[in-house]
Structures are given as structure tokens and as C-alpha cells.
Amino acid sequence: MPDDTDLHALSDQAMLDVPRIRPVLDKIADKWTIMILTVLCPQPARFNAIKRRLDGITHKSLADALKRLERHGLVTRTVIPTTPIGVVYAITPLGHSLRGPFEALCSWALAHERAMADAAATYDRSRP
């Protein structure tokens, strides 16, 4: 673990980088992005297949998220000339580059879910 001097330097640098970091994080750290990219990581999928895999997402939320992800280069949208017309979404190399950080975040969440739930319960009990 870095010493306090290193932590202060890292914190200071992070604060200087916030104007560049925050807009990027705002595009990938929302409610559905990680889950959508996780669905698309192994193979391309059609809209309804993605929707079925993501329990609770609305049609509009998925459509908006996919447009945003396409706009920022994380997924591609390919129209298939069938009847009716089909659309397939695929993850891009840029999207794939998030796999490592997302896997680390998911592993962290699994490893610490109980500790966070316990902390929340303790906090809630201490409040009137």
C-alpha cells in the first residue's frame, strides 16, 4: 500500500484529472451500461435478446442506452435486411477494453456485498 505522501499525491492528481475523468465515467458508470456490455461481450445480440437477458430494463431505457453506447464507440449497430428488419448489436474493441475493469469491479462487489450490507444495517440501526 502506498504511504501517506503517495496517497496525497495520488489524490491531488486525481482532483486535477476530474474534468477529464468525470465525463468518461458518466458514460460508463450508469445503471445499465456494465450489464449491456456484459451481455454483448461473448457475442453480438439482437435488441430483444438483450432485453430478455436484462431483467427489469424497459424498452426505452435499453434503446437509449444502446444509442449512447453506439455514439461513444462502445457498441456497433448493424441492420440486417430481413423481414421484418433486424438489428444486431456488437461490442467494439473499445468496449472490450472495459472487460478487465468491469470484471475487477464485479469481483469486488461479490467479495464485499455482505460487508456493505452489514455496514448499512449498522448505520440504519444507529439512526433514530
Side-chain angles (χ1 to χ4, degrees):
M1 176 165 229
D3 66 29
D4 287 344
T5 304
D6 292 340
L7 291 175
H8 284 290
L10 290 170
S11 177
D12 290 345
Q13 185 58 53
M15 293 310 298
L16 291 172
D17 291 338
V18 164
R20 292 178 53 212
I21 294 169
R22 185 174 179 143
V24 174
L25 292 180
D26 286 347
K27 292 169 182 69
I28 62 170
D30 61 46
K31 183 175 181 177
W32 294 110
T33 295
I34 292 173
M35 301 312 299
I36 291 168
L37 293 177
T38 300
V39 168
L40 293 176
C41 194
Q43 66 187 31
R46 293 182 124 180
F47 184 93
N48 285 329
I50 300 168
K51 189 171 183 310
R52 279 192 299 275
R53 297 272 317 270
L54 298 175
D55 187 36
I57 194 168
T58 65
H59 184 93
K60 181 178 178 356
S61 292
L62 180 55
D64 291 347
L66 287 167
K67 283 177 191 171
R68 188 177 59 255
L69 293 172
E70 181 183 12
R71 179 174 184 250
H72 295 294
L74 300 172
V75 301
T76 58
R77 178 182 184 272
T78 303
V79 176
I80 301 170
T82 58
T83 305
I85 290 176
V87 177
V88 173
Y89 294 90
I91 195 167
T92 65
L94 181 61
H96 265 292
S97 72
L98 286 167
R99 184 175 177 190
F102 282 174
E103 285 176 353
L105 182 59
C106 290
S107 293
W108 184 91
L110 290 171
H112 296 89
E113 67 178 323
R114 184 75 249 153
M116 291 185 71
D118 291 347
T122 300
Y123 178 89
D124 292 345
R125 283 193 302 276
S126 72
R127 299 290 180 247

